[in-house]
Amino acid sequence: MSDDDNIYQKTTAMQTWLFGYELTQTLMLFTPDTLHIVTGSNKAKILESLKQSDTVQFGVEIYARSKDETHNRELFQKIIDIMAKQGERVGVFAKDKQSGAFAETWKEALQSSGKTFENVDISAGVAEVFAIKDDEELRSTKTAARLSSLVMKNYFIEEMLNIVDLDRKISHEKLAEKTEDVLMDDKNYKKLKFPADAATGSPEWCYTPIIQSGGEYDLKTSAVSNEKDLHGGTIICSLGVRYKSYCSNIGRTFLINPKKAQEKNYEFLLDVQRKVLESMKENAKIKDVYNRAIDFIRNKKPELEKKFVKTLGFGTGLEFRESSYLLNGKNAKELQQNMIFSLSVGFQDIDNPNAPDDQSKKYSLLLIDTVKITKEGAQIMTDCDTSLNEISYMFKNEEEEEEEPVTRASHTSQRAAKSAVLSTKFRSEQEEASKEQSRKEHQKVLADQKHAEGLKRYGDGGSLKKDDQKSVFRKFESYKRDTALPKEVNNLRIVVDQRNDTLVLPIYGLAVPFHISTLQKATKTDEGEFVYLRLNFVTPGQPGKKDDTPFDDPNANFVRALSFRSADSGRMTEIYNQILEMKKNAVKKESERKEMADIVEQDKLIEVKGKRPPRLADVFARPGLDGKRPGELEIHSNGLRYVSPLRNENRIDVLFNNIKHLFFQPCDGELIVLIHCQLKNPIMIGKKKTEHVQFYREASDAQFDETGNRRRKYVYGDEDELASEQEERRRRAALNKEFKQFGEKITELSDQKVEVDIPFLDLAFNGVPFRTNVLLKPTQDCLVHLSEAPFLVVTLSDVEIVHLERVQFGLKNFDMVFTFKDYFQTPIHVNTIPMSQLDNVKDWLDSMDIVYYEGPVNLNWGPIMKTIQEDPAEFYKEGGWSFLAIESDAEESEESGSEFEASGSDFGSSSDESSYASDASMDDGSGSGSDEDDESGEDWDALEEKAKRADDKKFGSSKREADSDSDNDRKKKRKR
């Protein structure tokens, strides 16, 4: 039971944490071994599945209410009797207030029962349970923090700057309402650059955004935006977004035309925040974190100690503010890993003696971030730059405009606007720009072709279905005749026949066998003197289950469940354990059967008769056979055979008609030289199923090792080293030649059915396709990694499109996702590719006529592919893959737009921006000769700016104070 007016109640949080959903008009009673739930009939049907869950470790009793008030009062009386049996103390959430007819009926029943209970507040104990988040909760919180950051970066900052720059009059309350409305309409999600699946989590506000300026500041969470107009001095904004009911919080301070003292105080605030983050480690006490921050302030700037906030924030999660985890100097609780906090550091009402107006005589500074506790310290989950250069803005007055007319510069754009003056300094850069333009034009043509193919291919509509996923009815026969039944059935007792995977049950005096595959689950409950064994069977039309299980006659009568009662608890426990073991073995056998379902029996290898087949000696195989000695690879009439030297029975046969790709990888830059086969259908090698078979030889032979070379005894010095290096090069060249000739021999003897593909080392780039960083090499038809298992082979002809993720300024790496023409095939992710390889990757994809898109964030491809599978025709009618290009197109429009043209954005943001590089080119010394050594043609100021941003994001800038003065001189300026 909960009050609808307050969404942050422990009752609501408890229900969401348990069921992922808020249950209104529901009463829950927890006893040491059972959860009792009184709710409506519809909710009761949904909650019935809790009884069937394998993860339930205690009993669940569900009582369905009806329209009969007498029945409802009896249910309440039953709950009261259960409470009385457990004792007189009852745990409640003291601060939660319940209202409504259901709550009043319960209160009346409790009062009329004549029984009294002592209410004990359990809020603090439950808060400790909620505090440590699991993986799913962390993912939801991370997404919520990301959405908060995107609203701050992509809407509020731009809107605020336009208001200040154009001297528009708008109240704090009105601006807060406009910011609030942005999230209410999911049409704005694309402009906010939200993830594609953001709407599935029902994002909503934790609270109405708080905007303050003009000398009146309240740094408490309960603050509200007043009706006074926004003042272009010190502006503070805080906002928070909930995602899947999990909260986040972010707050930033923006300085307009700041004084030196304000800038230094802000940079000191950054130092305080960094100190606090370092202190918030696992097992650290909360009060120690606060006290260390106070000590740091007292030692560095004691005049700001009294201005510091009284609390550093609070724990957050399903409840926005968890009062049991306030970050103050009195809380003795310890921090634990995976706790989430809203960290708030700030100074309130600092005097500004050199203020230009009365409203700027006092100002406050505030930084709010959502953080996660780790062993090394707190990790920031919100992403919005806090460096001084990113939050401070200089607006020139009209006199300065007349003397030096400059275009407005915004911190959000560093691209050069088109003008008569070239934005680059070298011809090579002009050539690169021309190359990029031609690449974009080619990509547009490819994208249009891909879209037209999709419309033509799926024009008829309808959902896609996999042929190999069609369910087939399977019949099970436990016994062919009655005499095959076990002898124990004569006693009319439950018999578990492990040999035949059958459960024999006594029903009306008859022994009825049930194959274990018909059993869905078994549950055992103890009630008083008896033990109940409930057996649920697989039947069509079960609630909460997909009707994908085929039946021979779905209209027949089915036994859904059977229950047995016995006073012999020992025997019932033994039977229950035997059933679970038999079910476990049956599931294991079924999974093995499904795993081997795609195994295709190959034709027999036709051996070469009358002559010796071509052989490649001293090679190892992957997967390996018994022993560690090398074997021989032979070419026969219709395939390859690898023979182990230990026993001729140990062999691997690979037929030509089952080889999808054949690769030869030389040992240049590698430790091995190899021939690799990717198969069309997997085969069994020993007990392993594999679709990759590799034959290799190590490039360095033991007899030539410099520690074991016989000549090493007599020859010393550089001559010996040179001779060894020459020998190494000669041996590697010989190995490459031998394996290459053998690969060409395979192509020749297979009648061109199999062609050898060789990786291009010049196009190789690093990435993480699985768990380790490896070198990925393009070939004529594929992208491969073959040097070590697990192997990666991406067939480019099967690729639909490629999406380059995390492509944004300041990141060192980006990710690449391959989606396939078979929409049921899981996309392949290659992560952590160096940003320096971005242009090379684009050139390679473009040369292979593969459509690629790029975006600043990672997408959740599961829901995307599911949407396409459900209706590909509708997907292509709505634009197909063009949704991936929205963000890159928006960036391109900013880049190509005139610096004097207004943007058509619904947010009212201005695109009349010039790049930092263009602005810096007007400064003195920007054309120094050192630029010639820079590949991108940027000056030293721009390079230092980039480095500082990267350092600030990692909180690793140990030179913040020393460099503060020089950084201030390089602030970006805006024209007023």
Side-chain angles (χ1 to χ4, degrees):
M1 301 179 292
S2 64
D3 183 5
D4 293 338
D5 295 335
N6 185 5
I7 61 175
Y8 297 123
Q9 293 201 96
K10 279 287 189 300
T11 305
T12 304
M14 171 71 77
Q15 294 175 346
T16 306
W17 189 72
L18 288 173
F19 311 117
Y21 187 78
E22 179 184 356
L23 302 175
T24 57
Q25 299 184 4
T26 299
L27 183 144
M28 296 190 299
L29 173 66
F30 291 86
T31 63
D33 56 356
T34 307
L35 168 59
H36 301 271
I37 304 176
V38 179
T39 187
S41 57
N42 292 334
K43 299 186 187 74
K45 292 179 182 179
I46 299 174
L47 294 175
E48 280 292 335
S49 60
L50 293 176
K51 296 183 178 181
Q52 304 174 4
S53 175
D54 296 330
T55 59
V56 174
Q57 299 179 0
F58 56 91
V60 179
E61 292 296 332
I62 301 172
Y63 309 92
R65 297 169 55 246
S66 65
K67 296 182 179 180
D68 186 358
E69 294 299 329
T70 304
H71 171 72
N72 296 339
R73 282 194 292 269
E74 291 176 355
L75 292 181
F76 284 150
Q77 187 60 45
K78 189 173 183 179
I79 294 297
I80 295 171
D81 294 339
I82 295 173
M83 292 167 57
K85 289 181 181 179
Q86 301 296 328
E88 296 180 353
R89 305 183 71 194
V90 179
V92 298
F93 298 129
K95 294 184 179 180
D96 285 9
K97 304 298 181 183
Q98 290 80 29
S99 61
F102 180 76
E104 295 300 326
T105 305
W106 162 250
K107 292 176 183 177
E108 292 175 2
L110 189 61
Q111 292 175 356
S112 62
S113 66
K115 298 178 181 179
T116 59
F117 299 94
E118 178 188 355
N119 292 338
V120 180
D121 189 6
I122 60 172
S123 299
V126 173
E128 291 189 12
V129 177
F130 291 169
I132 301 177
K133 308 297 189 289
D134 58 25
D135 293 341
E136 184 62 30
E137 292 176 300
L138 289 175
R139 282 193 290 269
S140 298
T141 306
K142 183 178 180 181
T143 303
R146 183 180 172 191
L147 299 183
S148 296
S149 305
L150 290 172
V151 174
M152 178 69 77
K153 292 189 296 185
N154 297 333
Y155 178 74
F156 176 78
I157 293 178
E158 286 299 316
E159 184 69 14
M160 179 268 298
L161 291 177
N162 283 325
I163 292 171
V164 174
D165 189 27
L166 300 176
D167 285 334
R168 288 164 48 193
K169 299 296 182 182
I170 186 172
S171 67
H172 300 127
E173 185 179 22
K174 184 64 176 177
L175 181 56
E177 290 177 358
K178 289 184 64 177
T179 306
E180 187 176 24
D181 292 342
V182 169
L183 191 64
M184 297 297 101
D185 189 355
D186 55 7
K187 294 180 181 178
N188 296 323
Y189 287 1
K190 291 182 180 179
K191 298 173 185 177
L192 292 171
K193 299 184 179 180
F194 276 10
D197 57 347
T200 60
S202 301
E204 56 183 336
W205 289 110
C206 300
Y207 58 91
T208 301
I210 304 170
I211 302 170
Q212 305 175 76
S213 68
E216 297 182 11
Y217 303 97
D218 184 359
L219 304 188
K220 296 179 181 179
T221 310
S222 56
V224 294
S225 305
N226 59 33
E227 297 180 354
K228 294 187 176 181
D229 289 340
L230 187 72
H231 175 259
T234 300
I235 301 173
I236 295 178
C237 173
S238 58
L239 54 89
V241 177
R242 298 176 76 199
Y243 181 80
K244 293 184 178 179
S245 300
Y246 285 87
C247 300
S248 64
N249 200 14
I250 185 173
R252 293 292 182 265
T253 300
F254 303 97
L255 304 176
I256 310 299
N257 298 328
K259 303 298 182 182
K260 289 289 184 182
Q262 291 178 289
E263 294 174 348
K264 291 182 178 180
N265 287 337
Y266 180 82
E267 290 194 322
F268 179 67
L269 181 65
L270 292 176
D271 293 335
V272 175
Q273 186 193 46
R274 185 171 66 253
K275 191 70 176 179
V276 172
L277 290 170
E278 293 172 355
S279 302
M280 295 179 69
K281 298 180 181 178
E282 185 179 18
N283 299 327
K285 290 187 177 180
I286 292 177
K287 63 180 182 180
D288 293 340
V289 174
Y290 184 84
N291 292 331
R292 285 174 186 170
I294 292 294
D295 293 340
F296 181 78
I297 297 171
R298 187 178 297 130
N299 293 332
K300 297 291 184 179
K301 286 198 173 187
E303 67 275 12
L304 293 178
E305 181 181 351
K306 294 182 179 180
K307 307 291 185 181
F308 193 57
V309 292
K310 303 304 179 185
T311 175
L312 288 173
F314 42 82
T316 188
L318 290 169
E319 294 182 279
F320 177 68
R321 183 178 180 271
E322 179 49 68
S323 58
S324 299
Y325 282 90
L326 292 179
L327 297 175
N328 55 32
K330 300 178 181 180
N331 197 336
K333 291 183 180 294
E334 290 187 353
L335 301 176
Q336 299 297 328
Q337 190 170 4
N338 291 338
M339 285 184 173
I340 303 296
F341 285 88
S342 172
L343 177 62
S344 174
V345 294
F347 300 110
Q348 185 165 356
D349 294 337
I350 305 174
D351 293 330
N352 185 15
N354 299 323
D357 51 52
D358 292 340
Q359 291 177 300
S360 302
K361 288 184 177 180
K362 285 188 179 296
Y363 67 96
S364 297
L365 302 174
L366 180 66
L367 287 177
I368 302 176
D369 282 294
T370 305
V371 301
K372 179 180 73 171
I373 305 301
T374 66
K375 294 181 180 179
E376 294 77 19
Q379 176 185 341
I380 295 180
M381 305 181 77
T382 41
D383 179 20
C384 186
D385 203 336
T386 58
S387 63
L388 179 61
N389 284 0
E390 291 297 326
I391 60 90
S392 62
Y393 307 91
M394 299 299 295
F395 291 86
K396 294 192 174 185
N397 56 35
E398 295 179 359
E399 296 178 358
E400 290 176 329
E401 285 183 16
E402 294 176 0
E403 296 175 1
E404 184 184 357
V406 294
T407 58
R408 293 186 298 171
S410 171
H411 74 289
T412 58
S413 178
Q414 295 188 355
R415 302 181 181 88
K418 287 185 176 179
S419 66
V421 181
L422 294 179
S423 60
T424 58
K425 302 176 183 179
F426 304 102
R427 289 179 181 172
S428 59
E429 295 182 13
Q430 293 295 328
E431 293 173 358
E432 290 175 2
S434 175
K435 185 178 180 181
E436 174 69 15
Q437 184 63 28
S438 63
R439 189 167 59 198
K440 288 183 178 180
E441 293 174 357
H442 185 221
Q443 280 296 308
K444 189 177 185 305
V445 173
L446 294 176
D448 293 341
Q449 293 177 355
K450 182 69 66 177
H451 187 70
E453 291 173 3
L455 290 174
K456 182 178 179 181
R457 185 178 176 186
Y458 302 107
D460 298 332
S463 61
L464 299 177
K465 293 182 180 180
K466 289 191 69 174
D467 296 334
D468 56 353
Q469 285 189 343
K470 291 181 179 179
S471 301
V472 179
F473 176 75
R474 298 183 64 209
K475 293 185 178 181
F476 302 94
E477 189 176 36
S478 299
Y479 308 102
K480 294 185 178 180
R481 58 186 70 87
D482 295 343
T483 56
L485 289 168
K487 296 179 180 179
E488 294 83 355
V489 300
N490 296 328
N491 300 328
L492 289 180
R493 305 176 71 183
I494 299 176
V495 178
V496 180
D497 188 358
Q498 300 278 3
R499 182 178 179 182
N500 294 299
D501 292 335
T502 300
L503 185 63
V504 184
L505 304 176
I507 302 177
Y508 295 116
L510 298 175
V512 182
F514 291 84
H515 195 274
I516 191 63
S517 297
T518 63
L519 180 67
Q520 185 182 17
K521 69 176 295 186
T523 56
K524 179 177 72 70
T525 56
D526 299 333
E527 294 187 10
E529 301 177 352
F530 298 95
V531 179
Y532 288 84
L533 179 66
R534 180 180 176 87
L535 304 174
N536 296 319
F537 296 92
V538 179
T539 58
Q542 289 184 343
K545 298 287 184 181
K546 293 182 178 180
D547 268 343
D548 55 356
T549 305
F551 293 89
D552 193 19
D553 184 9
N555 297 321
N557 293 324
F558 291 84
V559 177
R560 176 159 288 183
L562 293 174
S563 297
F564 295 88
R565 186 182 72 174
S566 174
D568 189 354
S569 61
R571 171 166 171 74
M572 292 297 281
T573 301
E574 180 182 0
I575 291 174
Y576 175 72
N577 292 334
Q578 290 177 355
I579 292 174
L580 292 184
E581 185 66 22
M582 185 166 63
K583 182 65 177 176
K584 179 181 176 181
N585 294 334
V587 171
K588 184 178 179 181
K589 291 179 182 177
E590 181 66 17
S591 63
E592 291 177 352
R593 184 190 68 82
K594 290 181 178 179
E595 184 179 358
M596 300 303 173
D598 57 347
I599 298 292
V600 177
E601 185 177 356
Q602 295 187 113
D603 299 332
K604 290 185 177 181
L605 185 74
I606 302 176
E607 299 183 14
V608 175
K609 301 293 184 181
K611 62 178 181 179
R612 182 178 179 180
R615 295 184 179 181
L616 186 63
D618 298 328
V619 294
F620 295 90
R622 289 176 179 167
L625 300 175
D626 297 338
K628 296 183 179 180
R629 295 178 59 183
E632 292 184 340
L633 181 62
E634 302 174 345
I635 305 176
H636 289 274
S637 300
N638 64 338
L640 306 175
R641 168 169 289 176
Y642 176 81
V643 182
S644 171
L646 300 177
R647 289 182 296 177
N648 288 335
E649 302 83 47
N650 286 356
R651 57 181 61 173
I652 300 174
D653 291 342
V654 180
L655 301 187
F656 294 143
N657 58 11
N658 195 31
I659 297 178
K660 184 178 181 179
H661 296 292
L662 180 69
F663 302 101
F664 155 65
Q665 179 173 288
C667 56
D668 300 335
E670 301 285 349
L671 298 177
I672 58 175
V673 57
L674 59 87
I675 288 179
H676 185 97
C677 302
Q678 186 195 23
L679 307 180
K680 298 176 182 177
N681 300 300
I683 62 173
M684 293 297 297
I685 297 180
K687 296 182 179 180
K688 297 180 181 179
K689 183 183 80 168
T690 181
E691 61 176 320
H692 294 277
V693 182
Q694 186 178 106
F695 310 99
Y696 70 97
R697 187 187 301 170
E698 295 180 357
S700 59
D701 202 320
Q703 61 180 329
F704 294 100
D705 186 67
E706 64 178 7
T707 59
N709 192 346
R710 237 183 271 178
R711 294 190 304 136
R712 189 71 176 173
K713 296 180 181 179
Y714 309 103
V715 182
Y716 299 90
D718 295 340
E719 295 84 3
D720 185 41
E721 296 293 336
L722 291 173
S724 298
E725 291 177 4
Q726 292 175 358
E727 182 65 22
E728 175 79 10
R729 287 194 292 269
R730 186 199 62 79
R731 187 170 59 255
R732 284 178 174 268
L735 283 174
N736 291 340
K737 182 179 180 180
E738 181 181 4
F739 272 70
K740 183 178 181 181
Q741 290 178 346
F742 191 81
E744 294 171 350
K745 198 74 174 177
I746 294 175
T747 302
E748 178 183 350
L749 296 180
S750 65
D751 295 330
Q752 310 299 323
K753 293 179 182 178
V754 180
E755 293 186 359
V756 180
D757 205 354
I758 304 175
F760 301 121
L761 186 60
D762 296 337
L763 301 177
F765 56 91
N766 288 89
V768 183
F770 302 105
R771 293 186 178 180
T772 57
N773 196 311
V774 298
L775 188 65
L776 303 171
K777 302 178 181 179
T779 70
Q780 186 174 354
D781 302 316
C782 305
L783 177 67
V784 300
H785 164 64
L786 308 173
S787 299
E788 57 184 359
F791 307 115
L792 174 71
V793 177
V794 180
T795 305
L796 300 181
S797 60
D798 297 338
V799 173
E800 178 79 355
I801 61 103
V802 172
H803 189 234
L804 307 178
E805 300 180 334
R806 295 197 302 123
V807 178
Q808 55 179 309
F809 176 79
L811 295 184
K812 296 181 179 179
N813 303 298
F814 68 99
D815 304 331
M816 179 164 53
V817 181
F818 293 90
T819 61
F820 297 92
K821 296 176 180 178
D822 178 8
Y823 296 141
F824 290 94
Q825 186 173 348
T826 305
I828 291 180
H829 296 251
V830 179
N831 302 325
T832 323
I833 304 173
M835 194 64 72
S836 58
Q837 295 290 331
L838 179 61
D839 288 336
N840 295 338
V841 171
K842 289 181 179 179
D843 287 338
W844 166 64
L845 293 172
D846 190 66
S847 65
M848 301 304 296
D849 291 340
I850 295 177
V851 180
Y852 70 84
Y853 299 94
E854 60 182 279
V857 297
N858 295 104
L859 302 181
N860 188 352
W861 287 94
I864 294 175
M865 301 309 296
K866 187 175 181 181
T867 302
I868 301 174
Q869 295 165 12
E870 291 174 352
D871 195 350
E874 185 66 20
F875 170 75
Y876 277 101
K877 288 178 182 178
E878 294 180 356
W881 297 105
S882 61
F883 76 95
L884 296 174
I886 292 175
E887 296 175 358
S888 59
D889 287 344
E891 293 178 358
E892 182 179 348
S893 65
E894 290 178 6
E895 185 174 23
S896 60
S898 170
E899 56 187 357
F900 298 102
E901 291 178 356
S903 171
S905 171
D906 292 343
F907 295 156
S909 62
S910 174
S911 65
D912 46 346
E913 301 167 355
S914 63
S915 70
Y916 179 82
S918 299
D919 193 39
S921 65
M922 300 180 186
D923 298 339
D924 293 338
S926 62
S928 62
S930 60
D931 291 344
E932 296 176 0
D933 297 332
D934 193 305
E935 294 179 0
S936 63
E938 294 175 306
D939 58 22
W940 283 110
D941 289 349
L943 294 174
E944 288 177 4
E945 178 68 11
K946 288 183 180 179
K948 183 178 183 304
R949 289 190 181 190
D951 292 341
D952 286 344
K953 285 190 176 181
K954 297 183 177 179
F955 295 97
S957 178
S958 62
K959 299 181 180 180
R960 186 190 305 275
E961 295 181 359
D963 295 343
S964 61
D965 293 337
S966 61
D967 288 341
N968 294 338
D969 295 337
R970 291 191 299 269
K971 286 184 302 181
K972 293 179 287 293
K973 299 181 178 179
R974 291 175 60 98
K975 167 188 169 184
R976 187 177 176 190

